[in-house]
Amino acid sequence: MIKAENVSVKYLMAYDRIKSMKEYLVQLVKGNIQYEEFWALQDVSFEVKKGEVLGIIGHNGAGKSTLLKVISGILKPTSGGVQVNGTVVPMLELGSGFDFDLTGRENVFLNGAILGYPEQFLKEKYGEIVEFSELGQFIDVPLRNYSSGMVMRLAFSIATVVQPDILIVDEILAVGDADFQEKSKRRMLELMGGGTTVLFVSHSLGQIQEMCDRVLWLEKGRLKMAGKTETVCAMYQAG
């Protein structure tokens, strides 16, 4: 379902304290802009089979989220490439496609459209989305009045209303309170049981060990280890 070959992502970081676009252009023309290269990923290769649940672990800054964005098509790699076969639902930054001046109801259709769902499909699934989110009467309240947990619950409910071929998940099971987290985990397990291929990033090794078939361990942008969940997690814990 997914084949990544020598994926590398390079960022150019500027250290000049420039406060406006005009100042940036002036300094650029003068040749005074200084950059430092930062490789978020370097030569990462792996494959994921249909129905497999692949965990991705590593410390902050290891390149986990960058890798998910490349696979999702959000970022283009500096070199290398990724082949993806099937429909993809990326759950990376929940709520990033919302308009906080619109109501929850309006955002169901806005965010659903961004995810590629047809309007008729969203109309048919609207009741299911609202029920799962547990927002009740708040669905007609503007999102600017929502708590962060309410926003996450709505975003999760919209994102998981379909059963995609590939689900890409970044720390999603930390959504809402303990009860909703448990319900979110059950929904995830339903998707996995239905044959959905899953890439799952989490700092919780317990969740990784419970839900994943194999694990990739990223360290400073490089693939340090890949293999069976128990083996990789044990090595990761051992440092």
Side-chain angles (χ1 to χ4, degrees), residues 85-115:
N85 299 309
T87 58
V88 179
V89 169
M91 292 195 294
L92 304 179
E93 297 172 2
L94 285 182
S96 59
F98 284 160
D99 185 329
F100 280 72
D101 288 326
L102 300 180
T103 66
R105 181 190 299 271
E106 292 166 329
N107 273 289
V108 167
F109 292 94
L110 172 64
N111 192 245
I114 291 172
L115 291 173

Side-chain angles (χ1 to χ4, degrees), residues 54-233:
L54 180 71
I56 303 175
I57 61 176
H59 299 294
N60 290 334
K64 305 183 299 297
S65 295
T66 299
L67 179 60
L68 296 188
K69 288 177 181 178
V70 170
I71 296 169
S72 302
I74 297 171
L75 281 179
K76 184 178 180 180
T78 306
S79 62
V82 177
Q83 179 182 339
V84 178
N85 299 309
T87 58
V88 179
V89 169
M91 292 195 294
L92 304 179
E93 297 172 2
L94 285 182
S96 59
F98 284 160
D99 185 329
F100 280 72
D101 288 326
L102 300 180
T103 66
R105 181 190 299 271
E106 292 166 329
N107 273 289
V108 167
F109 292 94
L110 172 64
N111 192 245
I114 291 172
L115 291 173
Y117 304 161
E119 182 180 4
Q120 185 58 40
F121 173 82
L122 290 168
K123 288 180 178 178
E124 293 171 359
K125 294 290 186 177
Y126 175 78
E128 181 181 331
I129 292 169
V130 176
E131 181 180 3
F132 191 90
S133 71
E134 302 176 358
L135 288 173
Q137 63 187 18
F138 289 100
I139 197 66
D140 288 310
V141 172
L143 258 65
R144 63 175 179 269
N145 297 320
Y146 281 25
S147 67
S148 59
M150 292 167 71
V151 173
M152 296 300 101
R153 278 157 44 192
L154 180 60
F156 182 90
S157 303
I158 298 169
T160 58
V161 75
V162 296
Q163 183 161 333
D165 297 317
I166 300 168
L167 185 64
I168 297 179
V169 184
D170 190 356
E171 292 288 358
I172 208 65
L173 297 183
V175 174
D177 56 26
D179 289 339
F180 195 85
Q181 286 180 29
E182 184 61 32
K183 188 164 74 167
S184 299
K185 187 171 78 171
R186 289 198 300 269
R187 172 64 69 89
M188 290 283 297
L189 291 172
E190 288 173 9
L191 293 173
M192 294 172 186
T196 295
T197 302
V198 180
L199 269 66
F200 180 46
V201 165
S202 177
H203 285 290
S204 169
L205 288 184
Q207 289 181 351
I208 292 288
Q209 291 167 332
E210 179 183 0
M211 304 176 75
C212 299
D213 304 309
R214 286 193 305 124
V215 172
L216 301 183
W217 174 6
L218 293 178
E219 189 72 35
K220 296 182 180 179
R222 293 185 179 275
L223 181 58
K224 186 175 181 69
M225 188 177 183
K228 292 183 178 180
T229 300
E230 297 80 5
T231 303
V232 178
C233 287

